[in-house]
Amino acid sequence: MKSVKIAVFASGSGSNCENLIKYFSNKECARVVLVVCNKRDALVLERAERLGVPSVVVPRVELAKPEVMLPLMQQYEIDFVVLAGFLPLVPAYLIDMFPRRMVNLHPALLPKFGGKGMWGHHVHEAVKAAGETVTGMTVHYVTPQCDEGDIIAQFSVELEPSDTPDDIAAKEHVLEMEHFPQVVEQLVMEL
């Protein structure tokens, strides 16, 4: 069986990226071989370097250029793309290159709290403001429409009325750490 080569796209601290790199480091089915980030000062770049995974900074304007991204994906022989806290919208040409082989992690139970502007703490603040009693995470396929791809998996956690947005974020993050790598593994095993 061929080992699937994964690229993780991330914009921030990279905790999910690090979790994926470590998870697949001892797996035969797949390995994270590249980290793509749109911010030069993102902590994810330090995490990737520490774990020995090549990383590249691709500013938003460069992301839109097929002549930049297609050779990069080919150079690393990427089979599967995981968006883990990647904020820019991925251009359609790149989504088309990875049909049903590009997934995103969203920190809420879609279709609630998705779409433009719904990322990170904004999501958890919206969950709190709506008085939700449950939140969770969603893994979905990436499409040109933000957070509208087919849902692959969802995991939920109960909330207390006293939970702050930070509490909500912490509870949801536990779900990400526990479930996201296994969902990705299941998907790459089906390739």
Side-chain angles (χ1 to χ4, degrees):
M1 177 182 161
K2 175 187 173 234
S3 181
V4 173
K5 293 182 178 178
I6 300 172
V8 176
F9 286 37
S11 295
S13 71
S15 59
N16 274 294
C17 181
E18 180 174 350
N19 195 27
L20 288 163
I21 292 169
K22 288 179 176 178
Y23 184 85
F24 285 107
S25 66
N26 297 314
K27 301 278 184 179
E28 290 185 19
C29 64
R31 186 163 310 280
V32 176
V33 299
L34 178 66
V35 173
V36 175
C37 181
N38 62 304
K39 296 180 178 179
R40 293 193 185 288
D41 59 349
L43 181 58
V44 68
L45 298 170
E46 294 176 28
R47 291 180 193 251
E49 182 178 9
R50 184 169 31 81
L51 295 168
V53 175
S55 62
V56 62
V57 175
V58 181
R60 196 179 299 245
V61 68
E62 297 292 304
L63 182 69
K65 298 178 180 176
E67 65 271 20
V68 172
M69 292 304 296
L70 297 181
L72 180 64
M73 297 295 101
Q74 291 163 352
Q75 176 187 347
Y76 286 91
E77 302 174 334
I78 301 302
D79 302 302
F80 197 86
V81 176
V82 176
L83 307 184
F86 190 66
L87 298 183
L89 281 178
V90 177
Y93 79 84
L94 200 52
I95 296 168
D96 291 344
M97 187 177 180
F98 296 97
R100 294 183 81 78
R101 290 183 292 125
M102 182 181 289
V103 298
N104 182 48
L105 169 64
H106 186 75
L109 296 171
L110 292 175
K112 287 184 173 182
F113 310 108
K116 186 172 175 140
M118 282 289 116
W119 55 272
H121 214 65
H122 301 288
V123 173
H124 307 304
E125 289 169 353
V127 167
K128 175 66 177 175
E132 296 289 316
T133 58
V134 173
T135 194
M137 60 168 275
T138 301
V139 181
H140 65 91
Y141 288 109
V142 177
T143 65
Q145 297 75 36
C146 185
D147 296 330
E148 291 187 19
D150 291 344
I151 292 173
I152 299 161
Q154 291 185 308
F155 301 92
S156 61
V157 61
E158 291 187 14
L159 300 176
E160 299 298 327
S162 60
D163 284 343
T164 67
D166 286 341
D167 296 330
I168 294 168
K171 287 182 176 185
E172 188 273 331
H173 192 67
V174 169
L175 295 176
E176 294 176 1
M177 294 294 106
E178 182 178 350
H179 298 290
F180 193 34
Q182 288 90 345
V183 172
V184 173
E185 181 179 26
Q186 182 180 354
L187 292 169
V188 299
M189 294 289 285
E190 295 170 1
L191 294 180

